[in-house]
Amino acid sequence: MDAQSRGRAENIDPADQWVLNPNTGEYELRLGNSAPQSPVPGPRASRRGRPADPAAERPRGGAPVREAPERGAEVPQPRRRRGAEPEPPPGRRNRRPVKKKSKAKKIVAWTGGGLALVLVATGSAGYLYLKHLEGNVSATDVGSAAKQGFSKDGAFNILIIGTDKRTGAGNEGYGDKNSVGHADTNILLHVAKDRTNATALSIPRDMIVDVPDCETLQPDGSKKVIPGSSQVRFNTSLGQEGRDAGCTMRTVKAVTGITPDHFMMVDFNAVKTLTSAVGGVKVCLKHPVNDKDSHLQLPAGESKVEGEQALAFVRTRHAWGNQGDLDRIKVQQQFMGSLMRDMSSSDTLTNPSKLLDLAEAATKALTVDKGIKSVSTLKDIALEMKKVPPKNITFLTVPVIDNPAEKVHATVVVNQTTGPEIFDAINNDVSFTDVKKKEKAAKDAQAARLKGTRSAPSDVRVRIMNGGAADGAAQDVVNWMQTEKGILKSENAGNAPAEVSRTTLEYAPDQAPQARELAALMGLSGSALKPGKSVTNAQGLPTMSLTLGKDFKGAGVSLTAPAKAPDVSDKSTADKVECAS
C-alpha cells in the first residue's frame, strides 16, 4: 500500500505517516501510540511504481517502515499539543498545499572531478536516522590544519577536493590507475560573513607550488611529519609520500594566504552516484562531442547527463578548447552552475522520496575533517550556503602564466601581478559581484569610528597580543611602534587566549582618540576597532588591546581591506547558462 493509500485508509491513524510540520517546514514521521516509530527508512517503492521487497522494509525490530508521501499526496496536519496555537485548516484533499520557504535544506554534498557542490535537503526522519547518515560519512583527522567546529556567525572557507583515485567498477578509463589519490580537482569556496555572496576559486592541479612540511596522523595513532617539496605540482600535496588533506589545506594557505577552515573530499564515484540521485544535470555544448578517450558522445545544444556520462563530461579534456586542464576547469565550473540551477528549480526539495536517495548518496560520497563530520554540522553548512543567491556565487580560477622554467610548457605558476589582488579580496570578504549589503547601517557605524580627534603617538598606550600571526609578530610590532612611530607606551603581551582571523583593537570609550591614531598608523579599518573596555598593564594603567590575527601581514603593512574586488575577465556566476566550447 503506498503512502497516499495509507493516508486514506480508515483503519490507520491519519497521523501514522509523514506530515509537514508548518512550524519547522520539515516532513516528520508521525506514528500512533500502537505503532512504533522506525528511525531509519528502508528501501522505498521505485519511481516507476514497482513495490520494494516487503521483507527489506522491516528494520531489525520487525516494524514496517513508513515512507514519505509521494508528491501530490494528502498531508494531514500534525496533532496539536495542549495549549498550542491551533493549526490552519487543511486544504482540499489531493490539492498540493501552498509552498512555503522550507527550512529542510538539510544535507550538503560536495563532489570533485568537476562536480563541486550540491545542496540537498531531506525530511526529518528522527535522531537515529541522522546518526545512520552520519555513519555514511568518512572523516580524517588533520589536526590543526582544520578548525574543531563550524561557526554560523562568520565567513568560512571550505576546500573541496576531488581525487583521481579509482574506486568502484567502471572507472578504469579515468585518471592514473596507480594513483594513491592526488588532488586532481580543487576548489576553495569562500562564503561571505553576511551571506550575500560566495566565491569558488578553482586551483589548477598542474600549478607549480612549494608544499610545506605536514604533520599527519598514522594508522597506529602516532604522528609523522612529512617533509615538504619545492617546485612541484599542486596535486602532489595529497597522496604523495602519504600526505593527507591537511597537507593540501596547508599548501593552499602557503600559496594564497587564505586559510581553509575545513575540507570535503570525494573520488570519481561521487559524480556518478550524486548526479543519478538528482535525476541528471543539464549541460550545454556549443559543438557536438565524440571523445574516444572518455567515450563522451553529446550533440550540440542542451543535454542531460548523469552517472557514467556525467563523469565523462567533467573528466574529459580533449573535447574542450586547447585540450588542457584550464579549459576543463571552465567546463567544470559551468557544470557546477547548471547543477545548482537544476536543484533550485526542480521538485527535488519537495519530494521526500528523492531527498532520502540524495541524503544517502551525498553522505556516502564524503570524506571530511573531524570538525564537520556530524550530519547536524553538514546541515548547518547547507543552510548557510543556501542563503547565498546563485547570481552572487562567482566562479574564478587562480590567475596563472606558463611556467618560465620550461621550454615545453606543461605546467603553470601563479601570476604574481593579478593573483595577489584576488587572494586579498577573498581574504577580506569582498564580493566579486554587486550585492546589496545587509549590514549597511553597521558598516556606516564602523566607518564613523575612524572619524574624530586623534591623540599624539606619545599618548597612545597599547598592549599587543599574537592571535594567529607569524611567530614573533607581536614583538616586531612593538619594535616598529617604538622606533618608527613614537608609540613608546607599547608592550608585548604574548599570545592571545584564542586565534582570530582578523586583527582587532579593543578600547574603552575614553580611549577612542588613541584608537583612531593607532588605526591611522597601522592602516586598520573601522571594522577592526572594537569599542569595549580597557585592561590594566603592568604599571596599573589602563591600556588598549591589539590582537594580531591571521590577516596580519607584517609590521608597517596596512590592513585596510580593499573597497572592491579586482575585475576578472573570465569569471562566471551560478545563475547564468553557459555552453561548453
Side-chain angles (χ1 to χ4, degrees), residues 248-260:
T248 309
M249 296 173 72
R250 290 182 172 95
T251 303
V252 169
K253 181 178 179 180
V255 173
T256 67
I258 304 168
T259 303

Side-chain angles (χ1 to χ4, degrees), residues 35-75:
Q37 179 172 348
S38 173
V40 183
R44 296 169 302 285
S46 71
R47 296 187 182 93
R48 296 184 179 179
R50 293 192 301 270
D53 179 5
E57 294 200 6
R58 295 184 181 273
R60 189 171 296 175
V65 176
R66 310 297 185 190
E67 296 179 6
E70 297 295 330
R71 185 177 178 187
E74 178 185 359
V75 181

Side-chain angles (χ1 to χ4, degrees), residues 241-375:
E241 309 299 333
R243 294 183 178 118
D244 62 17
C247 301
T248 309
M249 296 173 72
R250 290 182 172 95
T251 303
V252 169
K253 181 178 179 180
V255 173
T256 67
I258 304 168
T259 303
D261 300 313
H262 303 284
F263 83 87
M264 295 180 176
M265 181 169 64
V266 295
D267 58 23
F268 289 158
N269 271 348
V271 180
K272 297 194 289 189
T273 58
L274 284 166
T275 53
S276 295
V278 300
V281 176
K282 294 177 183 177
V283 296
C284 180
L285 280 70
K286 290 184 178 179
H287 58 77
V289 169
N290 185 0
D291 181 19
K292 64 179 181 179
D293 293 317
S294 66
H295 308 293
L296 178 66
Q297 295 183 357
L298 288 174
E302 188 175 277
S303 300
K304 180 172 280 193
V305 295
E306 67 174 279
E308 188 71 36
Q309 196 176 37
L311 178 58
F313 183 85
V314 298
R315 287 294 306 160
T316 184
R317 334 192 223 182
H318 302 297
W320 321 123
N322 295 321
Q323 302 186 15
D325 191 49
L326 296 179
D327 290 305
R328 180 171 63 175
I329 286 175
K330 293 178 182 178
V331 173
Q332 291 171 349
Q333 291 173 347
Q334 294 163 8
F335 182 86
M336 290 154 47
S338 179
L339 176 61
M340 296 178 68
R341 290 192 300 273
D342 284 351
M343 288 298 299
S344 61
S345 64
S346 71
D347 64 348
T348 301
L349 299 179
T350 58
N351 187 329
S353 177
K354 197 170 187 179
L355 294 178
L356 291 173
D357 288 341
L358 270 170
E360 292 288 345
T363 51
K364 288 178 180 178
L366 283 175
T367 297
V368 300
D369 60 270
K370 284 197 169 183
I372 57 173
K373 183 183 188 299
S374 73
V375 169

Side-chain angles (χ1 to χ4, degrees), residues 373-450:
K373 183 183 188 299
S374 73
V375 169
S376 61
T377 301
L378 294 174
K379 174 262 297 181
D380 288 340
I381 294 174
L383 290 175
E384 294 306 306
M385 185 63 196
K386 185 62 181 176
K387 296 176 183 178
V388 183
K391 67 178 182 178
N392 291 332
I393 299 176
T394 305
F395 298 116
L396 304 174
T397 302
V398 172
V400 294
I401 58 175
D402 288 332
N403 186 356
E406 296 176 336
K407 292 183 178 180
V408 178
H409 297 304
T411 61
V412 293
V413 296
V414 175
N415 186 332
Q416 294 299 333
T417 301
T418 57
E421 289 183 305
I422 290 177
F423 305 152
D424 196 38
I426 295 174
N427 231 345
N428 287 284
D429 208 21
V430 179
S431 175
F432 284 83
T433 58
D434 294 328
V435 297
K436 294 180 180 179
K437 291 291 184 181
K438 298 177 181 178
E439 302 175 352
K440 185 177 185 304
K443 291 187 178 297
D444 290 344
Q446 292 170 358
R449 295 170 190 164
L450 300 173

